[in-house]
Amino acid sequence: MNGDATATIGPGGASRASGLGPARDPAFDRATALHVVAASLLAWLLDACDFFIVLFTLDDVAHSFQVSLQSILLAPTLTLLTRPIGAFLCGHAADRYGRKPVMIATIVVYSVIEILSAFAPTVTVFLFLRALFGVALGGEWGVGTSLLMESIPRSWRGTASGILQAGYPAGYLLASLLFLLLPVVGWRGLFILGGGALVAALYIWVRVPESPEWLQRHRQQGTDAVRAPGLWSIVRNNAALCLFAVTLMAAFNFMSHGSQDLYPKVFLGLERGLPHPTITLIVVLYNIAAIAGGLFFGVLSQKIGRQYSIALAGILTLPFLPLWALSHSAFWLAAGAVCIQFCVQGAWGVVPAYLSELSPPSVRATFPGLAYQCGNLIAAGNALLQTWIAAFLGTGLAPALMLTVGGAATVVVTLILLNATRYARSRPIG
């Protein structure tokens, strides 16, 4: 793969072949590094916010187009299905033409699509736009991650990883706040506000330089565009690595979606009978805990390594499952949800750094995002699986929630520790 050997996974999840190191450009100072961190966080936060605005307004959109809620539920499904396409297309472009221009283009595209969705004349046009939004949504994370990890000092990576991933629950919170404006601006107004993500593109254009590592490869090759390998080349030359990464990310996504998708409305609302204000409070609390968890385990990964930080977060998830799913009072349900999201999203907080360090250099914008989105695609049937388990057992959602999240956490911990053991055995003595 353009000289890249199949990566050997090193300490803390870092790849010996990755070449990912601290910024080497003398002009790249601390202030610039802070701008890169802020821009990557802002882009992912606003991307997530735009996605959640759709979920919050599904019934309003259905009423506006005079169709059933089931018809509008196709919108988030189509967005999830097209995310791997965006991860490959945008990642491939970023590996070839640079992180910064593709990052800006991706943000502009998803912002424009969000605004166009507000003016969709029919439900067919609306669904088509949401499918296109999925392409941009899938592309932004991988490109932003590669730009961030290649542009900051090595000692910052764990913290920056936690900050970046905290953008997802922070986007959830921002969408929740914007949703309060629904009676004033309507669902179309919320979509227009979502288009304000264009400010992130402007920020990157003005304040963020190109990845110094990409620039170095560009200068070494002496071409107008760095030659990036195709998808088949990536898989063929890194088959074991790709299988490991996609399986790991599928488990990660089952752990995340399994603890979030049905929990607020279906489990807390329908099964536990909690009132809407109480559910909203619990959602806010566990999203704050998710942000804190991502930051905590991201920083911890700088001290004990990526793999062991992820494993610790996964292991800590397991004893909190009964509190989270079997409780009946609002207080203990909230306590369980806070603990679970602290651990689940804490493990996720290490993922950007872990996948970037795992990736071969020439596909660092493609590989992490594609592995993430392919894993997400595999986990897309999480809600159906949980409802099927609940119906099969005839005991409500609680056992299904525990089985899926607990099973996914166990797979994450097992894969991570097996990989750590594999590296320890392959490391030369002395």
Side-chain angles (χ1 to χ4, degrees):
M1 185 188 300
N2 293 339
D4 289 336
T6 301
T8 301
I9 304 168
S15 167
R16 290 187 199 172
S18 72
L20 184 62
R24 290 181 287 270
D25 192 331
F28 196 85
D29 57 16
R30 181 184 179 90
T32 304
L34 289 172
H35 282 304
V36 175
V37 174
S40 299
L41 169 64
L42 183 64
W44 183 230
L45 184 156
L46 295 175
D47 201 348
C49 176
D50 286 358
F51 175 71
F52 281 111
I53 283 175
V54 179
L55 297 182
F56 287 143
T57 58
L58 286 173
D59 51 348
D60 301 282
V61 176
H63 178 74
S64 178
F65 288 123
Q66 297 182 337
V67 296
S68 66
L69 181 60
Q70 287 71 24
S71 298
I72 295 299
L73 281 172
L74 280 173
T77 301
L78 289 171
T79 298
L80 291 175
L81 289 175
T82 55
R83 280 169 72 165
I85 299 173
F88 174 70
L89 293 178
C90 299
H92 186 73
D95 283 325
R96 183 171 174 81
Y97 299 107
R99 288 40 169 138
K100 179 177 177 177
V102 176
M103 181 88 160
I104 292 172
T106 302
I107 296 170
V108 170
V109 168
Y110 79 63
S111 300
V112 170
I113 291 174
E114 192 75 359
I115 295 172
L116 289 176
S117 297
F119 298 97
T122 66
V123 68
T124 302
V125 174
F126 180 81
L127 293 175
F128 175 73
L129 289 170
R130 301 323 296 174
L132 290 181
F133 180 82
V135 176
L137 177 67
E140 191 280 329
W141 187 88
V143 178
T145 297
S146 62
L147 175 63
L148 175 63
M149 293 301 158
E150 291 177 348
S151 301
I152 59 174
R154 185 183 300 272
S155 60
W156 287 29
R157 282 197 220 131
T159 303
S161 180
I163 291 172
L164 172 62
Q165 204 57 36
Y168 194 75
Y172 192 148
L173 279 179
L174 178 58
S176 302
L177 295 175
L178 289 177
F179 185 62
L180 297 175
L181 297 175
L182 180 69
V184 179
V185 300
W187 71 267
R188 296 182 188 271
L190 291 181
F191 277 65
I192 293 173
L193 290 175
L198 285 167
V199 68
L202 180 62
Y203 182 31
I204 293 170
W205 180 49
V206 174
R207 302 299 303 181
V208 176
E210 181 56 83
S211 155
E213 186 171 324
W214 184 89
L215 286 173
Q216 184 182 52
R217 288 203 307 276
H218 175 79
R219 287 192 292 264
Q220 288 173 345
Q221 294 190 13
T223 58
D224 291 335
V226 175
R227 183 177 300 173
L231 178 60
W232 174 241
S233 177
I234 298 170
V235 176
R236 184 179 67 248
N237 293 322
N238 299 275
L241 181 63
C242 290
L243 180 62
F244 169 80
V246 172
T247 304
L248 179 67
M249 295 315 298
F252 257 105
N253 279 287
F254 268 113
M255 188 166 66
S256 180
H257 287 291
S259 63
Q260 291 178 340
D261 290 1
L262 299 180
Y263 195 77
K265 285 192 174 182
V266 179
F267 181 69
L268 295 180
L270 298 180
E271 292 204 359
R272 290 296 184 258
L274 297 183
H276 183 72
T278 302
I279 296 173
T280 301
L281 177 60
I282 292 175
V283 169
V284 170
L285 289 174
Y286 74 57
N287 273 289
I288 293 173
I291 295 170
L295 293 173
F296 174 80
F297 284 99
V299 173
L300 184 65
S301 74
Q302 282 296 133
K303 302 181 183 298
I304 67 174
R306 316 288 184 231
Q307 296 177 136
Y308 297 114
S309 185
I310 291 173
L312 178 62
I315 290 170
L316 290 176
T317 299
L318 301 176
F320 291 121
L321 291 173
L323 179 66
W324 171 67
L326 299 180
S327 299
H328 287 269
S329 74
F331 176 82
W332 290 114
L333 285 167
V338 164
C339 293
I340 285 290
Q341 292 305 322
F342 181 85
C343 296
V344 169
Q345 299 305 320
W348 265 102
V350 189
V351 167
Y354 182 74
L355 287 183
S356 293
E357 292 170 344
L358 205 64
S359 174
S362 64
V363 291
R364 190 167 291 120
T366 306
F367 178 82
L370 191 58
Y372 174 11
Q373 301 304 345
C374 285
N376 198 37
L377 184 62
I378 293 171
N382 163 77
L384 293 175
L385 175 64
Q386 288 182 319
T387 53
W388 180 85
I389 293 173
F392 178 79
L393 296 177
T395 54
L397 267 179
L401 293 172
M402 294 175 65
L403 283 171
T404 51
V405 176
T410 301
V411 171
V412 167
V413 171
T414 301
L415 288 174
I416 287 290
L417 293 182
L418 284 176
N419 182 56
T421 303
R422 171 180 175 271
Y423 171 75
R425 289 177 177 175
S426 66
R427 184 172 49 190
I429 300 175

